[in-house]
Amino acid sequence: MSLASGHKVVPLEGEELAKQKKDFIGYKSGLVRLNPERWLFTTAFLKYGDKYYNFKFEPSDVLLMTWPKCGTTWMQEIVWTMRNNPDLGHALASLSTMARSPFIEMDFFLDDHVDFENVAESPLLKNFDIACPGRNPRDGIMLQMAELASPPRTIKTHLPLSLFAPSLLETTKVVYVARNPKDVVVSFHHHSRMIKNHGYVGSFPDFVQFFVDDNLAYGPYWLHLKEAWEKRHHPNLHFVFYEDLKEDIMGELRKLNDFLGTELTDNQLNNVAKHSSFSEMKARDAMGLDKDETLCDQKVISKEGGFFRKGETGSWKAKLTPVLEDKVDKWITRNLNDFGINFKYCL
């Protein structure tokens, strides 16, 4: 089977599938690889893949693209606030970030977990009913919320450039956020334990092994990075590092202001910086997920923190043992050194 993107679909089987399903209990329907890049997704991706590829983007859209746990939610709030709420008075600002800035491909994870018959128990289905009246959630909750969002749309994705139509960058602006892989693997481990769609129950060393073997969902991370890095000079792509946002938020907001054409004053940019700060977003539970028992493991949250856990650079130092750090270092040397991307691993 092939997709509109030209990728050949290969289902995981045998020992490889058994290992994934043993450690990721959220992947109930199995997994597939999309070759030649070996992108890894749950089987439900096949229901939606061509719809993502053919999604009708508009010139007024901004697509936020990252690999998981690279600062996506932070950038969602930054961009939406810059474009819609620089004076902090917008009526919709109290809604969750995901309700205002849909996660376009979340449905291929949700299909195994959402009880479509019980709207009352699902905040996602409640939001869908409000945003998409008369639509069938089985056709994609987030996909349709992205489609029907009021312009200017700010849309989130973890998909790589190659799974969208080649016309994407000729049509709309893309903001790509990259984060150093040592912090990424630590943060994604927590996320994969907390979010039931992943349901990771294996050990941390095994998770690191999945990462360096390019066997995590959305992997390989290095190739995701490379596709965007090679397009970094395109006038419709803005490439930003998470670590630079942490180190100089106002400087990075000014660059975004130029890229987006929002023409905000320094006072408005200060509003954006404060409103999108980690402490502010955590205090208002900007994603609205931590109390959602249908999506989040409450035991993990109570012991280790929720969606907004640390938001730091360099927290990998407390988690990666010398042996695990060596594994990630070898992955970095093997995959990143050939295209010249350099990360800051602590500030």
Side-chain angles (χ1 to χ4, degrees):
M1 175 183 178
S2 295
L3 299 176
S5 61
H7 291 84
K8 183 179 179 182
V9 177
V10 179
L12 262 64
E13 298 175 333
E15 291 184 9
E16 187 178 27
L17 176 61
K19 174 62 176 171
Q20 286 277 352
K21 296 190 76 171
K22 171 180 173 290
D23 287 344
F24 292 91
I25 60 174
Y27 301 163
K28 298 177 181 179
S29 61
L31 298 106
V32 295
R33 287 198 188 281
L34 308 187
N35 290 333
E37 292 94 346
R38 299 180 72 250
W39 305 119
L40 183 65
F41 299 110
T42 65
T43 302
F45 182 89
L46 304 183
K47 175 180 173 182
Y48 299 105
D50 287 351
K51 295 179 181 179
Y52 304 143
Y53 185 84
N54 293 314
F55 187 84
K56 184 173 175 51
F57 286 99
E58 301 292 344
S60 61
D61 294 338
V62 173
L63 180 64
L64 307 178
M65 181 179 289
T66 74
W67 208 69
K69 307 314 296 178
C70 288
T72 330
T73 305
W74 188 13
M75 186 56 76
Q76 281 177 275
E77 193 67 88
I78 286 172
V79 171
W80 190 89
T81 304
M82 288 180 72
R83 302 177 80 208
N84 299 277
N85 191 32
D87 298 315
L88 306 184
H90 199 289
L92 299 182
S94 61
L95 295 178
S96 74
T97 307
M98 194 154 53
R100 291 178 278 113
S101 173
F103 179 11
I104 188 171
E105 81 274 5
M106 189 179 180
D107 298 301
F108 73 79
F109 284 118
L110 291 177
D111 273 14
D112 282 341
H113 297 271
V114 172
D115 181 358
F116 290 101
E117 303 301 327
N118 197 349
V119 175
E121 297 299 319
S122 173
L124 275 173
L125 286 173
K126 290 179 184 177
N127 285 335
F128 176 82
D129 275 357
I130 295 169
C132 306
R135 292 288 191 104
N136 186 346
R138 289 181 175 82
D139 293 330
I141 295 171
M142 281 292 161
L143 180 63
Q144 294 180 87
M145 287 180 70
E147 177 192 346
L148 296 181
S150 298
R153 299 183 301 187
T154 302
I155 298 171
K156 160 187 170 179
T157 187
H158 292 318
L159 298 178
L161 282 168
S162 59
L163 292 179
F164 291 103
S167 60
L168 174 66
L169 287 177
E170 307 309 318
T171 305
T172 194
K173 292 183 183 293
V174 174
V175 177
Y176 188 96
V177 188
R179 188 182 187 185
N180 84 75
K182 294 181 183 181
D183 279 330
V184 166
V185 72
V186 170
S187 185
F188 198 16
H189 172 252
H190 171 72
H191 182 84
S192 296
R193 296 182 68 245
M194 179 187 71
I195 300 295
K196 291 180 179 180
N197 298 338
H198 298 283
Y200 185 71
V201 295
S203 69
F204 179 63
D206 281 351
F207 192 87
V208 173
Q209 192 64 51
F210 277 118
F211 178 80
V212 299
D213 290 340
D214 299 328
N215 281 334
L216 291 178
Y218 288 107
Y221 178 36
W222 67 270
L223 189 53
H224 199 290
L225 281 169
K226 186 176 183 180
E227 287 189 358
W229 184 250
E230 290 176 344
K231 298 287 188 180
R232 69 191 183 280
H233 299 305
H234 193 288
N236 268 354
L237 190 141
H238 182 70
F239 195 105
V240 60
F241 289 97
Y242 178 95
E243 293 77 17
D244 289 342
L245 285 166
K246 295 293 291 186
E247 190 171 34
D248 181 16
I249 183 62
M250 287 301 293
E252 294 302 322
L253 288 182
R254 290 187 183 101
K255 293 176 187 177
L256 267 172
N257 198 25
D258 290 340
F259 175 72
L260 297 173
T262 38
E263 300 182 348
L264 303 186
T265 66
D266 274 0
N267 283 338
Q268 289 174 317
L269 291 178
N270 273 309
N271 285 343
V272 174
K274 185 175 186 298
H275 187 71
S276 64
S277 68
F278 183 83
S279 59
E280 292 266 338
M281 291 182 71
K282 182 175 183 177
R284 64 178 183 267
D285 186 17
M287 282 297 280
L289 287 178
D290 284 2
K291 296 181 177 64
D292 188 344
E293 296 184 9
T294 63
L295 292 179
C296 294
D297 188 318
Q298 298 302 308
K299 291 181 180 178
V300 172
I301 290 174
S302 64
K303 290 180 180 179
E304 301 174 26
F307 192 91
F308 296 94
R309 191 170 59 99
K310 290 188 176 181
E312 299 173 350
T313 295
S315 61
W316 59 268
K317 291 182 176 181
K319 188 75 173 178
L320 290 176
T321 65
V323 170
L324 295 178
E325 185 183 357
D326 181 63
K327 283 188 177 185
V328 179
D329 282 340
K330 288 176 178 174
W331 178 92
I332 292 167
T333 299
R334 184 169 65 249
N335 295 304
L336 300 186
N337 287 0
D338 70 330
F339 60 96
I341 193 168
N342 293 306
F343 285 103
K344 297 174 184 176
Y345 289 92
C346 59
L347 298 178

